[in-house]
């Protein structure tokens, strides 16, 4: 992990600053309003986690110092507050994610920040506002980001930062999967999902419960499965089965009074996918088997306004304690530790959220 903390020379800094979409600044300054006079408004120097080639994240990422860049008339300079390490972030660095930025690139895809400075033509945002990139975009593992005003969505500062930083990739996926495939009736329909301990799975349970929809949840057989079952029950899961519990001739006999599910979510594949199928009633729908969902594709369909409305709804739930999932806040200078946890090197861990 020592390679992660090495800085590159002037030549590499210039290359990265010109190649990466996000322009950067440095933490710890007082927010300022843009004043155009004889000098050009620029960001302070910045620090970022970058990778210049694809590969294992613990081998190819490193900390880089980048020079100031211009904050243009329509730009907003944002001081990052927090950003998560998502599995899709790891896949982008590895080069296996279907959509990824060209290298060299800065890691991260979502996060929350505070407006530090604005260009002379920016009217809707002011220093001190909390914002998220919406739709999300690459490059949030850095101290400051400079992007056009249209990239940023102002949010309520009363929402805990760990939820503001992580609200798009997982919770929004859960919400769209609930709403895009089958019209489910409250107090009369149910759904089944595998991978229920994932954050998407946890969000599905809670969002379904708010709609009066029952959930049947499948988890893997492994150490801690009993605790996982109780945690999901506490979130509102109606039934939680380990894969081994479903080695019966008729899994539907385990439903009790719950209705046969009309919708199934498969995020694991293999035998776990077949278990989801066994629960579905005739005519039921399973994502990725009969219909697929990919948030990145949905966001590319010009749904910025709709996306932001749903983000506000989800943030309201998180603020009110109606949407919960476990995170661990890690200071930016301990990024290597957070990365090791995100890579699964130290067992199952909460979602790692970097704080700046």
């Amino acid at each position: 992990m020592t390679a992660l903390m090495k800085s590159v020379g002037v030549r590499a800094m210039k290359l990265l600053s010109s190649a990466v979409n996000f322009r950067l600044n440095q933490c710890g300054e007082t927010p300022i309003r843009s004043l155009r006079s004889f000098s050009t408004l620029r960001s302070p120097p910045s620090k970022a986690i970058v990778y210049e080639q694809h590969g294992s994240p613990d081998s190819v990422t490193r900390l880089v110092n980048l020079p100031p860049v211009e904050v243009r008339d329509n730009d907003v300079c944002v001081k990052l507050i927090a950003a998560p390490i998502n599995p899709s972030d790891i896949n982008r660095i590895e080069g296996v994610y279907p959509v990824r930025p060209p290298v060299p690139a800065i890691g991260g895809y979502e996060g929350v920040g505070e407006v530090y400075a604005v260009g002379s033509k920016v009217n809707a945002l002011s220093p001190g506002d909390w914002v998220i990139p919406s739709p999300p975009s690459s490059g949030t593992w850095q101290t400051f980001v400079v992007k056009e005003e249209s990239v940023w969505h102002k949010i309520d500062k009363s929402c805990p930062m760990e939820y503001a930083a992580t609200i798009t990739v997982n919770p929004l996926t859960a919400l769209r999967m609930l709403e895009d495939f089958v019209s489910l009736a409250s107090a009369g329909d149910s759904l089944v999902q595998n991978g229920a301990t994932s954050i998407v799975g946890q969000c599905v349970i809670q969002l379904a419960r708010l709609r009066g929809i029952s959930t049947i949840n499948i988890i893997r057989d492994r150490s801690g499965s009993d605790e996982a079952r109780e945690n999901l029950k506490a979130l509102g899961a109606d039934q939680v089965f380990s894969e081994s519990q479903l080695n019966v001739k008729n899994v539907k006999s385990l439903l009790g009074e719950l209705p046969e599910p009309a919708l199934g979510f498969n995020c694991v594949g293999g035998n776990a996918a077949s278990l989801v199928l066994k629960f579905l009633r005739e005519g039921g729908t399973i994502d990725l088997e009969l219909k697929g969902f990919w948030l990145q594709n949905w966001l590319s369909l010009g749904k910025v306004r709709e996306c932001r409305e749903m983000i506000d709804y989800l943030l309201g739930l998180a603020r009110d304690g109606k949407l919960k999932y476990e995170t661990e806040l890690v200071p930016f200078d301990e990024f290597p530790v957070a990365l090791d946890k995100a890579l699964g090197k130290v067992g199952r861990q909460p979602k790692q959220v970097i704080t700046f």
Side-chain angles (χ1 to χ4, degrees), residues 211-225:
R211 290 161 169 74
I213 299 166
S214 303
T215 59
I216 299 104
N217 304 274
I218 304 170
I219 62 176
R220 291 172 174 168
D221 290 284
R222 59 186 173 192
S223 175
S225 59

Side-chain angles (χ1 to χ4, degrees), residues 266-284:
N266 166 45
C267 70
V268 177
N271 181 60
S274 67
L275 295 175
V276 171
L277 287 169
K278 289 179 180 180
F279 272 109
L280 286 176
R281 74 188 185 203
E282 185 175 354

Side-chain angles (χ1 to χ4, degrees), residues 31 76-83 111-118 124-134 145 149 151-167 308 311-312 315-316 318-319 329 353-356:
V76 176
C77 178
V78 173
K79 173 186 178 295
L80 264 295
I81 298 172
V112 62
E114 182 177 17
V115 174
Y116 169 81
V118 299
L125 295 173
S126 300
D129 289 342
W130 275 25
V131 292
I132 63 172
S134 180
V145 176
E149 180 182 14
V151 169
W152 303 106
H153 175 49
K154 182 179 176 179
I155 65 169
D156 187 344
K157 296 173 71 171
S158 65
C159 183
M161 68 174 178
E162 60 268 30
Y163 289 103
T166 59
I167 202 67
R308 293 179 176 184
I311 290 296
D312 290 340
L315 286 172
R319 182 192 61 232
L329 301 177
V353 179
I354 308 161
T355 57
F356 298 90

